[in-house]
Amino acid sequence: MTPGYSDSKNHPPPAVRRRIVAFAGGVGGAKLAHGLAQILPPEDLTIIVNTGDDFEHLGLYVCPDLDTVCYTLAGLANPETGWGRVSETWNAITNVEKLGGPAWFRLGDQDIATHLERTRRLKEGQTLSQITKDFCKAWGIKHTVLPMSDAPVRTVVVSDEGELAFQEYFVHRRCEPKVKGFRFDGVAGAEAVVGAREAVEAADAIVICPSNPWVSVDPILNVIPLNEWRGTKPVVAVSPIIGGKAVKGPAAKMFDELGIEPSAAAVASHYRTILAGFVLDKADLNMEDQIKKLNIETRVVNTLMNHLTDRTRLADDVLDFIGSL
Ligand code: FO1
């Protein structure tokens, strides 16, 4: 079986047509997007991806969340890390290190090809959305994947050690500095890419994937605020926090450092102005009433996606929940 593709490719199509837009950040978002892509036909799923963690490194334009989503949908993702490519080699970065260059951000050889070609095309004047469309075609991805904006938006972490560029905080400093807040540089002038607002307008529902609310989803919501569609179509979020801990990454630590007890309920509350529904894990069943008091419908399921089949199962649960709203 191709890594990244489940046997659920033969999953029956949903009985009722549902056009879905999914907002996704890195690994958790990519996994649910992959599950949705196993069920929904290409014309019914648009995935809008965070670009706030993009940066220029070693002269290359790197889009970690965008690449994580694309590699995952294409069955090319590294199953151990969730980011980067499967069966990767590390000759280039090893030699950069030998020459005294920065090697804290591990770019694999195959992955570097993506950044080289993307950088070349950007320098030629192509937009990130055009390039992403071409790359998706080359990788055999049939569903629509859109970067949230063609304009650069840069997440800045305001920490107890000052302001840090996102990857500097996340990878180089291993999320050690205490966060005090976040800023999305460039967001004020950043328009959504062509097709993004149109997809939201045409969608029957929006799914906020189990990505970090602060640094993966909020940048997208800053570019495409969903308030204007409130009441016209359900927005459903899936919790990235289970039992007070983030499935992956620093989301729980961020809540904590911002003075909010990390929990599924805290995530629901974070999105409370836009949510119709919230999917939480069975481990957090005790939080259901608290979330319902926010006027948000709930669905309690197994949200962990350890195996490929879990992605389709969770996507199925999310679609079923949407149908009930
Ligand atoms: N994350 C790490 O923790 N260490 C790395 O060296 C690293 C390299 C890397 C290379 C390409 C890529 O697309 C992603 C990479 N990531 C790495 C993940 C990435 O920095 C974060 O997961 C996201 O930015 C947050 O969603």
Side-chain angles (χ1 to χ4, degrees), residues 189-202:
E191 286 185 17
V193 296
V194 173
R197 293 182 64 83
E198 293 81 349
V200 173
E201 183 67 36

Side-chain angles (χ1 to χ4, degrees), residues 87-291:
S87 309
E88 188 58 285
T89 53
W90 305 93
N91 297 307
I93 199 72
T94 305
N95 282 282
V96 167
E97 193 166 21
K98 278 185 188 158
L99 295 171
W104 55 268
F105 197 81
R106 309 292 297 166
L107 292 174
D109 297 333
Q110 298 179 85
D111 194 29
I112 283 175
T114 304
H115 313 311
L116 274 173
E117 178 58 7
R118 178 192 290 126
T119 308
R120 186 189 72 76
R121 291 183 186 217
L122 284 169
K123 283 195 173 144
E124 226 177 55
Q126 295 187 33
T127 62
L128 185 59
S129 48
Q130 280 172 326
I131 298 166
T132 305
K133 192 175 174 192
D134 286 354
F135 284 10
C136 283
K137 193 166 176 226
W139 288 324
I141 298 168
K142 301 256 174 358
H143 297 78
T144 303
V145 181
L146 302 175
M148 64 188 194
S149 181
D150 281 326
V153 175
R154 294 291 170 268
T155 299
V156 176
V157 179
V158 183
S159 81
D160 62 344
E161 298 183 30
E163 297 194 346
L164 298 167
F166 181 72
Q167 298 298 347
E168 179 65 24
Y169 161 81
F170 193 91
V171 176
H172 204 186
R173 300 297 319 278
R174 296 164 200 264
C175 309
E176 279 165 12
K178 287 197 172 63
V179 303
K180 292 171 151 185
F182 308 95
R183 217 182 52 231
F184 308 118
D185 278 358
V187 84
E191 286 185 17
V193 296
V194 173
R197 293 182 64 83
E198 293 81 349
V200 173
E201 183 67 36
D204 297 304
I206 314 300
V207 174
I208 297 180
C209 291
S211 299
N212 186 313
W214 302 103
V215 293
S216 295
V217 179
D218 280 358
I220 312 177
L221 289 173
N222 268 265
V223 175
I224 312 168
L226 292 174
N227 308 53
E228 66 187 272
W229 287 282
R230 197 179 158 86
T232 67
K233 59 194 80 205
V235 179
V236 168
V238 180
S239 182
I241 292 195
I242 302 178
K245 294 195 173 74
V247 177
K248 196 175 188 335
K253 182 177 179 285
M254 287 174 173
F255 271 102
D256 213 15
E257 290 166 0
L258 293 167
I260 308 162
E261 196 180 327
S263 68
V267 177
S269 177
H270 183 84
Y271 297 129
R272 67 189 170 281
T273 58
I274 51 168
L275 283 193
F278 190 70
V279 179
L280 61 158
D281 194 82
K282 283 180 177 162
D284 297 315
L285 181 64
N286 60 334
M287 304 216 148
E288 220 188 348
D289 289 346
Q290 202 181 330
I291 297 166

